[in-house]
């Protein structure tokens, strides 16, 4: 009987162990490949140790891609958070219109981001796109949305915002609906204004939910590929070549496998570090929110 | 308690070992599977008299790109099965994903597909790692190849385009035959006869005239009933495909090279003073007479703009215009004419081409049956049928190009046959063969976009040349 009890915990962790192996095996293999100069032209490669990484870090193209990636991720996460929370606040009052809007709001999340990007690519087309058509009466019908570096980056962020703001809004709305009512009733009795209540009560208690959304969106945006690739292919020039696109081009299009994987490992490290910092911050925010509630 | 801890440690150590073992095994197994090559070709195994039924009952797997040429092939597959008793299973992918699918499949070292479509440029990428079967021994073996296949009937420049020695910078037409020409495209100017008539224009004979013409159409055409029309449709997306049609054709007609080759060493030449001047002129032409949102333009947009009367001219593959020109295909059908395009300063009509070729997977286990398929698909009978009853135009064979029925079919398109005849012998691959072709041309397209966006051509092209110098060898 004793050995059964001893064995039981190990048996119970078998599924988790298998899952971990399934994650670690390709990851480890990828990591191992980065130590070689494996490419289509060199199928029997030499061990180059960390040369791929030193090459990545000394490339101007890498730093350009890193900068574009950060700009994209910060821009998208920031706008989506602000807009998402604003929309959630508007929908919080459970009117009929609000309930209908809630249903509509979820639509972009049901479209694959790459499809959304293609739809927007057509809509942003300068001569036949609907966006310029709508802007024409205001004298703004000739905007070349993705032809300039800034325009291409902003357009990509805009598509990301269109797709994912509802995600933030839904998360924030769920948070709003789970907040205790008594602090708000007390504030109302004391005659507190909307802005004061929002700043001192709603926002501190809502922060944990908002931060969860920020973590998800920021990490996802750092890894973006589909939206940008479908909208601009990384252009014009190198202006929207984020790290994922660079990795894809190196590994798949140009068949420099080891070098391409090195890019993804660097990206993984960045995302991992960013997530660690944000999650640590989330803990603090959660404790602070609990203090406000009590 | 101590024992328990000890047990847990032992368990974790064992588990770590179990995880590491396959990892190390996999690492030790090398990269991309078994890469051993035999010196002899499988073609040598085919002996006796030639027999179409030799591989009866076999199934060949093909990977195909969505294209009118593919439609013609699929429509005629029953003839192949009737002739050989070989079944063909196929997957068709759109062009946006096709080459990535093919690249990943071939690099896996497995024979998921026995035969596939590829361009001649892909030979430079797929050939050196040993993914492509050398078809030369098959072609030379009279037991494997029927006499009616008639190699001499192919336009020589097309057959040579798929032949390479696998050495960077070495000219085409030497070494292994890594694919067979199946359908091709020459890059010419197609134009809307209606707008040309209304504005009293004539096709350009020089590049300066072409740029001027493009600007004139963009300025004047919208006022004469062609709402939103611009001058010239050319590709502009951040892709290798932007460089090879109109741009490379005009670049070559100006006597310019992508690389210079000296003793097997390649030096980027796209930043020579003449190349910089030409690139500036090209970017200016696009800015003054090209499409809005040019940086996202692929051949699909270029072609459909000509068909939708949004573009006055198209400098791209003749097929891109042909598919809009045929009766009922687009609002502009019946009003599209063809012209060889501007000549170079010395009268050159050097033209870059794209060849849809068919290749065989070096790892295929059905090489004999696959060769029969390639032989049939590039044979006179199927190609003639494809050209006359379907839209498999721009024949790779002289006999089809000279066929009266083919000529009758194409005659209603003003200038098509004359243009084809004018450029066919001067059409060849104008790039220097080298394995980093896709990196070089994708970066070149990005550079072109930057110049179009206002950056100095000299500094952008110097940067491109510096970057490429370290990659090509």
């Amino acid at each position: 009987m004793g050995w059964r009890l001893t064995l039981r915990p190990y048996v119970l962790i078998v599924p988790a162990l298998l899952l971990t192996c399934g994650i670690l095996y390709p990851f480890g293999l990828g990591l191992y490949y980065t130590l070689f100069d494996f490419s289509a032209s060199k199928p029997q490669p030499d061990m180059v140790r960390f040369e791929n990484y030193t090459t990545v870090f000394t490339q101007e193209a890498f730093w350009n891609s890193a900068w574009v990636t950060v700009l994209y991720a910060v821009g998208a996460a920031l706008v989506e958070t602000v807009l998402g929370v604003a929309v959630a606040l508007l929908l919080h009052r459970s009117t009929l219109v609000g309930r209908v809007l809630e249903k509509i709001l979820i639509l972009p999340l049901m479209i694959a981001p790459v499809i959304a990007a293609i739809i927007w690519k057509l809509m942003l087309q300068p001569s036949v796109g609907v966006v310029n058509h709508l802007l024409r009466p205001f004298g703004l019908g000739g905007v070349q949305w993705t032809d300039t570096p800034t325009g291409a980056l902003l357009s990509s962020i805009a598509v990301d915002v269109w797709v994912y703001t509802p995600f933030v809004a839904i998360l924030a709305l769920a948070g709003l609906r789970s907040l205790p009512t008594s602090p708000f009733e007390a504030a109302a009795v004391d005659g507190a204004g909307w802005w004061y209540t929002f700043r001192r009560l709603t926002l501190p208690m809502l922060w944990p939910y908002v931060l969860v959304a920020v973590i998800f969106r920021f990490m996802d945006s750092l890894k973006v590929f589909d939206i940008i690739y479908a909208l601009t292919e990384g252009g014009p020039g190198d202006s929207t070549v984020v790290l994922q696109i660079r990795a894809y081009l190196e590994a798949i299009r140009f068949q420099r496998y080891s070098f391409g994987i090195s890019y993804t490992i660097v990206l993984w490290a960045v995302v991992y570090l960013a997530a660690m910092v944000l999650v640590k911050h989330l803990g603090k925010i959660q404790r602070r929110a609990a203090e406000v509630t009590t | 308690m101590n024992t328990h801890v000890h047990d847990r440690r032992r368990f974790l150590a064992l588990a770590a070992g179990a995880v590491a073992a396959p990892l190390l095994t996999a690492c030790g197994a090398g990269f991309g599977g078994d890469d051993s090559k035999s010196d002899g070709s499988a073609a040598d195994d085919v002996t006796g008299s030639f027999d179409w039924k030799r591989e009866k009952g076999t199934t060949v797997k093909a990977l195909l790109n969505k294209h009118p040429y593919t439609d013609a092939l699929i429509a005629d597959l029953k003839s192949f099965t009737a002739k050989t008793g070989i079944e063909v299973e196929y997957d068709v992918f759109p062009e946006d994903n096709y080459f990535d699918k093919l690249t990943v499949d071939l690099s896996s070292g497995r024979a998921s597909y026995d035969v596939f479509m590829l361009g001649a440029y892909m030979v430079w990428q797929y050939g050196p790692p040993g993914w492509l079967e050398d078809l030369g021994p098959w072609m030379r073996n009279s037991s494997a190849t029927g006499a009616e296949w008639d190699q001499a009937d192919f336009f020589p420049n097309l057959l040579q385009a798929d032949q390479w020695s696998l050495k960077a910078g070495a000219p085409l037409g030497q070494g292994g035959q890594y694919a067979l020409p199946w359908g091709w495209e020459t890059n010419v100017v197609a134009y809307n006869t209606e707008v040309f008539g209304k504005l009293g224009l004539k096709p350009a004979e020089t590049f300066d005239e072409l740029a001027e013409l493009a600007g004139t159409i963009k300025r004047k055409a919208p006022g004469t009933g062609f709402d939103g029309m611009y001058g010239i449709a050319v590709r502009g997306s951040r892709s290798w495909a932007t460089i090879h049609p109109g741009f490379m054709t005009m670049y070559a007609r100006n006597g310019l090279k992508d690389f210079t080759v000296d003793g097997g060493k390649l030096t980027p030449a796209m930043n020579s003073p003449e190349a910089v001047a030409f690139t500036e002129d090209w970017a200016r032409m696009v800015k003054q007479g090209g499409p809005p949102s040019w940086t996202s333009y692929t051949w699909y947009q270029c072609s459909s703009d000509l068909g939708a009367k949004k573009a006055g001219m198209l400098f791209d593959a003749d097929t891109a215009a042909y598919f809009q020109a045929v009766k009922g295909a687009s609002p502009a059908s019946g009003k599209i004419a063809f012209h060889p395009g501007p000549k170079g300063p010395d009268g050159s009509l050097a033209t870059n081409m794209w060849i849809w070729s068919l290749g065989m997977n070096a790892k295929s286990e059905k090489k004999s049956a696959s060769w029969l398929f390639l032989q049939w698909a590039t044979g006179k009978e199927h190609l003639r049928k494809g050209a006359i009853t379907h839209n498999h135009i721009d024949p790779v064979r002289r006999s089809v190009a000279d066929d009266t029925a083919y000529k009758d079919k194409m005659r209603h398109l003003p200038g098509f046959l004359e243009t084809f005849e004018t450029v066919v012998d001067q059409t060849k691959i104008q790039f220097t063969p080298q394995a980093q072709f896709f990196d070089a041309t994708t970066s070149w397209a990005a550079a072109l976009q930057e110049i179009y966006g206002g950056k100095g051509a000299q500094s952008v092209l110097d940067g491109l040349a510096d970057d490429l110098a370290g990659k090509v060898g």
Side-chain angles (χ1 to χ4, degrees):
Chain A
M1 194 64 186
W3 66 271
R4 281 189 186 168
L5 275 176
T6 315
L7 205 60
R8 187 179 295 164
Y10 298 123
V11 172
L12 290 173
I13 64 162
V14 165
L17 195 67
L18 286 174
L19 194 65
T20 311
C21 292
I23 293 167
L24 284 182
Y25 180 75
F27 182 79
L29 205 59
L31 206 58
Y32 177 74
Y33 277 12
T34 62
L35 306 177
F36 293 81
D37 57 352
F38 180 32
S39 67
S41 57
K42 207 143 188 219
Q44 294 300 330
D46 300 320
M47 164 81 91
V48 294
R49 297 179 188 279
F50 298 105
E51 201 180 295
N52 283 319
Y53 293 102
T54 50
T55 310
V56 164
F57 287 119
T58 51
Q59 267 193 338
E60 197 186 320
F62 166 76
W63 293 107
N64 173 62
S65 289
W67 175 239
V68 174
T69 308
V70 169
L71 275 182
Y72 183 89
V74 171
L78 194 72
V79 177
E80 283 158 22
T81 307
V82 173
L83 276 180
V85 171
V87 170
L89 287 169
L90 288 173
L91 293 178
H92 185 38
R93 294 177 186 185
S94 192
T95 60
L96 177 67
V97 177
R99 283 197 296 276
V100 172
L101 287 178
E102 250 180 83
K103 308 285 181 291
I104 295 170
L105 204 63
I106 210 162
L107 282 176
L109 285 174
M110 294 174 181
I111 299 171
V114 68
I115 304 291
I118 291 168
I119 293 170
W120 274 96
K121 188 177 179 173
L122 294 172
M123 295 203 303
L124 293 174
Q125 217 281 333
S127 53
V128 294
V130 71
V131 176
N132 275 5
H133 178 74
L134 292 172
L135 289 175
R136 212 152 281 145
F138 307 100
L140 296 167
V143 183
Q144 311 257 331
W145 293 97
T146 55
D147 262 13
T148 61
T150 313
L153 185 63
L154 290 178
S155 300
S156 306
I157 292 174
V159 176
D160 200 298
V161 166
W162 184 81
V163 176
Y164 290 111
T165 297
F167 170 78
V168 181
I170 286 162
L171 222 63
L173 192 60
L176 277 173
R177 286 182 181 160
S178 68
L179 297 183
T181 52
S182 51
F184 294 97
E185 286 163 3
V189 169
D190 289 347
W194 176 86
W195 176 241
Y196 186 86
T197 310
F198 174 73
R199 208 158 44 93
R200 290 302 178 92
L201 283 178
T202 315
L203 206 53
M205 287 194 284
L206 195 63
W207 258 123
Y209 300 94
V210 173
L211 200 61
V212 166
V214 169
I215 290 170
F216 274 112
R217 288 310 314 134
F218 186 64
M219 285 182 353
D220 268 355
S221 305
L222 282 175
K223 299 182 294 177
V224 69
F225 175 85
D226 41 14
I227 288 176
I228 295 184
Y229 198 74
L231 198 68
T232 68
E233 273 186 78
D238 281 354
S239 61
T240 53
V241 180
V242 287
L243 286 169
Q244 282 278 43
I245 291 181
R246 183 81 61 190
Y248 161 79
L249 289 175
E250 289 291 346
I252 306 294
R253 191 62 58 84
F254 309 150
Q255 295 179 300
R256 293 191 281 259
Y257 310 123
S258 294
F259 196 57
I261 301 169
S262 305
Y263 261 99
T264 57
I265 295 290
V266 171
L267 179 61
W268 166 80
V270 171
V271 175
Y272 190 79
L273 286 174
M276 268 174 59
V277 170
L278 286 169
V279 168
K280 199 173 168 187
H281 201 57
L282 177 66
K284 281 186 198 163
I285 295 272
Q286 276 171 333
R287 282 192 293 280
R288 214 172 293 157
E291 284 164 19
V292 174
T293 315
T294 52
Chain B
M1 187 67 181
N2 280 341
T3 316
H4 188 71
V5 170
H6 180 67
D7 282 347
R8 189 188 295 156
R9 279 183 188 154
R10 270 188 63 198
F11 176 80
L12 288 173
L14 281 170
V19 173
L23 179 70
L24 293 172
T25 312
C27 297
F31 300 81
D34 174 29
D35 210 63
S36 59
K37 283 182 198 165
S38 100
D39 288 327
S41 166
D44 299 341
D45 300 338
V46 184
T47 53
S49 56
F50 175 72
D51 180 12
W52 278 111
K53 296 278 186 190
R54 190 176 65 229
E55 298 294 339
K56 191 178 174 185
T58 313
T59 301
V60 167
K61 193 101 196 276
L63 183 62
L64 304 168
N65 171 60
K66 180 73 191 142
H67 194 278
Y69 291 0
T70 306
D71 297 339
L73 179 91
I74 291 170
D76 198 24
L77 271 182
K78 278 182 186 160
S79 313
F80 172 69
T81 303
K83 194 179 186 108
T84 61
I86 298 170
E87 295 286 340
V88 180
E89 284 179 4
Y90 57 86
D91 290 328
V92 183
F93 280 79
E95 199 162 319
D96 282 352
N97 318 105
Y98 177 78
F99 286 111
D100 286 344
K101 164 79 181 158
L102 179 60
T103 305
V104 169
D105 203 74
L106 289 174
S107 63
S108 74
R110 285 170 180 79
S112 317
Y113 295 98
D114 302 293
V115 291
F116 40 81
M117 284 166 69
L118 74 166
Y121 312 140
M122 281 74 192
V123 168
W124 309 343
Q125 194 179 25
Y126 301 158
W131 298 343
L132 300 176
E133 174 78 1
D134 179 5
L135 303 173
W138 295 90
M139 291 156 68
R140 289 190 289 271
N141 183 350
S142 57
S143 301
T145 308
E148 80 266 27
W149 188 62
D150 192 5
Q151 184 180 320
D153 188 38
F154 285 98
F155 286 109
N157 46 350
L158 304 187
L159 205 57
Q160 285 164 7
D162 286 325
Q163 197 183 2
W164 192 39
S165 64
L166 306 183
K167 290 190 181 76
L172 300 174
Q174 298 167 6
Q177 184 77 42
Y178 290 102
L180 292 176
W182 171 58
W184 67 298
E185 295 160 1
T186 181
N187 292 295
V188 296
V189 170
Y191 60 97
N192 185 306
T193 52
E194 217 176 13
V195 75
F196 267 58
K198 241 180 192 171
L199 296 176
L201 305 172
K202 279 196 310 191
E205 295 298 335
T206 67
F207 183 53
D208 287 344
E209 279 178 28
L210 183 76
E212 203 182 311
L213 209 53
T216 304
I217 294 170
K218 193 167 185 172
R219 282 194 311 277
K220 294 186 177 171
T224 54
F226 297 93
D227 191 28
M229 182 180 269
Y230 61 87
I232 186 162
V234 286
R235 302 185 205 188
S237 74
R238 193 184 178 281
S239 159
W240 61 271
T242 284
I243 300 300
H244 85 96
F247 179 82
M248 193 61 192
T249 295
M250 208 58 239
Y251 190 83
R253 287 178 183 182
N254 275 272
L256 301 167
K257 299 278 176 206
D258 53 351
F259 294 95
T260 55
V261 187
D262 187 15
K265 187 173 162 40
L266 273 71
T267 308
M270 51 284 273
N271 62 336
S272 69
E274 296 80 12
V276 170
F278 169 75
T279 311
E280 274 174 338
D281 288 347
W282 183 270
R284 197 175 304 120
M285 177 188 79
V286 176
K287 223 169 170 60
Q288 289 170 2
S293 202
W294 171 73
T295 57
S296 67
Y297 260 56
T298 64
W299 78 267
Y300 294 112
Q301 281 90 16
C302 293
S303 171
S304 61
D305 277 6
L306 182 74
K309 298 186 182 177
K310 289 284 174 198
M313 295 182 285
L314 169 76
F315 196 172
D316 204 281
D318 56 352
T319 52
Y322 169 81
F323 298 131
Q324 301 295 334
V326 290
K327 199 177 171 190
S330 74
S333 66
K335 297 177 184 74
I336 293 174
F338 294 79
H339 184 264
K343 294 184 180 74
D346 62 352
S348 166
L349 273 177
T351 303
N352 194 47
M353 68 173 159
W354 168 259
I355 311 180
W356 274 118
S357 307
L358 292 172
M360 191 197 300
N361 192 335
K363 302 278 185 212
S364 169
E365 287 164 2
K366 297 167 185 167
K367 287 184 180 173
S368 179
S370 299
W371 173 244
L372 288 172
F373 172 76
L374 295 185
Q375 209 178 142
W376 169 82
T378 58
K380 288 179 188 173
E381 195 182 330
H382 166 68
L383 289 180
R384 185 179 181 277
K385 198 188 288 183
I388 295 165
T389 56
H390 297 283
N391 284 323
H392 196 133
I393 57 155
D394 276 10
V396 295
R397 286 179 169 275
R398 174 60 77 184
S399 62
V400 181
D402 289 342
D403 196 288
T404 315
Y406 167 74
K407 286 190 170 175
D408 286 347
K409 178 186 174 176
M410 306 304 285
R411 199 158 278 137
H412 74 284
L413 299 174
F416 185 92
L417 288 172
E418 295 81 351
T419 298
F420 182 86
E421 286 298 334
T422 306
V423 298
V424 64
D425 292 328
Q426 298 172 76
T427 302
K428 64 177 187 124
I429 290 182
Q430 305 290 347
F431 291 100
T432 307
Q434 47 96 17
Q436 303 302 323
F437 170 80
F438 293 100
D439 188 357
T441 42
T442 303
S443 307
W444 203 350
L448 207 51
Q449 289 185 336
E450 286 181 355
I451 295 163
Y452 170 81
K455 284 196 181 174
Q458 186 71 61
S459 63
V460 169
L461 293 170
D462 282 346
L464 173 70
D466 277 352
D467 179 45
L468 293 178
K471 291 176 178 170
V472 296

